[in-house]
């Protein structure tokens, strides 16, 4: 899942308006920010196997430190604690941020084939396999994305032209990336996958920038 995760970040703005959209982008994709680096370090592994699911050609062989339920619970608590420590935010904000980080596991659990580890040992791996049902997977992901954007647009308003152009160009950019991933050829290698995943930092930077050009409606 890609834009479905980002939908959670947009929607979370309603529940923690003071938290920058950039922080929420970091939170929703924290697992997929950690993961490519662990792949490049050789600690986690993925291979490209076209046909392994109808949607993604990635075979997630070993990723308990970025994607197990226990690891993501720990990352959620650490990230929320770090934010609260740096920003002196309250409990409500901490809970929202932790839930956004943890939501990544839940959404991946729905989409991935049974490759999502529960613990570090990865003895039990689960997944509902929505990626084997392309139409349902795409409809689910686009619906989530639309709902997230809708909540965000009702919660915030542009302070200036950059605030509206920046938002809608980001929405189009994310949809184009999603479409290109669906329609494009499989990536040439696991290393290529890991490097291209680093492009998410651009979206994070966009979130921080956009947040300064929009304000809460209430
Ligand atoms: Zn993931």
């Amino acid at each position: 899942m890609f834009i479905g995760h980002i939908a959670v970040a947009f929607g979370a703005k309603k529940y923690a308006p003071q938290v920058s959209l950039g922080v929420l982008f970091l939170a929703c994709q924290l697992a997929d920010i950690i993961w490519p680096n662990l792949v490049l370090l050789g600690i986690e592994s993925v291979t490209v196997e076209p046909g392994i699911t109808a949607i993604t050609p990635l075979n997630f062989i070993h990723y308990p430190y970025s994607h197990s339920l226990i690891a993501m619970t720990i990352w959620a608590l650490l990230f929320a604690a770090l934010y609260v420590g740096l920003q002196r935010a309250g409990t409500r904000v901490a809970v929202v941020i932790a839930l956004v980080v943890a939501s990544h596991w839940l959404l991946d659990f729905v989409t991935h084939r049974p490759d999502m580890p529960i613990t570090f040992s990865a003895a039990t791996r689960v997944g509902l396999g929505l990626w084997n049902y392309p139409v349902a997977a795409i409809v689910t992901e686009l619906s989530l994305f639309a709902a997230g954007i809708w909540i965000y647009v009702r919660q915030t308003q542009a302070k200036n032209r950059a605030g509206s152009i920046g938002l809608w160009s980001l929405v189009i950019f994310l949809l184009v990336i999603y479409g290109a991933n669906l329609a494009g050829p499989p990536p040439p290698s696991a290393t290529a996958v890991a490097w291209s995943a680093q492009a998410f930092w651009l979206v994070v930077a966009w979130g921080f920038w956009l947040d300064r050009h929009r304000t809460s409606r209430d």
Side-chain angles (χ1 to χ4, degrees), residues 152-164:
Y152 179 76
V153 166
R154 286 185 48 134
Q155 174 63 36
T156 67
Q157 60 190 1
K159 287 183 193 168
N160 48 40
R161 271 171 68 83
S164 60

Side-chain angles (χ1 to χ4, degrees), residues 1 5 29 31-32 35 60 63 67 72 104 108 112 116:
M1 187 160 275
H5 293 304
Q29 282 285 70
D32 284 357
W35 170 71
F60 300 94
Y63 59 165
H67 275 76
M72 289 190 54
H104 189 104
D108 275 4
H112 285 221
M116 298 287 298

Side-chain angles (χ1 to χ4, degrees), residues 30-46 62-68 71-72 75 120 190-191 193-195 197-198 201:
L30 190 60
D32 284 357
I33 288 170
I34 295 167
W35 170 71
N37 295 295
L38 295 181
V39 169
L40 290 172
L41 290 168
I43 296 167
E44 297 198 334
S45 58
V46 62
H62 185 68
Y63 59 165
Y65 308 108
S66 64
H67 275 76
S68 68
M72 289 190 54
W75 289 122
F120 292 119
T191 310
V193 172
W195 279 114
Q198 309 286 359
W201 285 106

Side-chain angles (χ1 to χ4, degrees), residues 61-147:
I61 291 176
H62 185 68
Y63 59 165
Y65 308 108
S66 64
H67 275 76
S68 68
L69 179 57
I70 186 83
M72 289 190 54
T73 305
I74 294 169
W75 289 122
L77 296 175
L78 284 176
F79 190 78
L82 180 69
Y83 184 84
V84 167
L86 290 174
Q87 298 289 326
R88 301 182 188 283
T91 313
R92 178 192 166 95
V93 166
V95 170
V96 171
I97 289 180
L99 286 176
V100 172
V101 176
S103 73
H104 189 104
W105 192 89
L106 191 66
L107 293 179
D108 275 4
F109 163 70
V110 173
T111 46
H112 285 221
R113 64 194 193 89
D115 62 24
M116 298 287 298
I118 303 286
T119 63
F120 292 119
S121 78
T124 305
R125 311 210 301 166
V126 295
L128 299 181
L130 184 62
W131 269 339
N132 282 320
Y133 305 90
V135 174
I138 293 166
V139 167
T140 303
E141 194 145 2
L142 288 176
S143 308
L144 271 174
F145 190 61

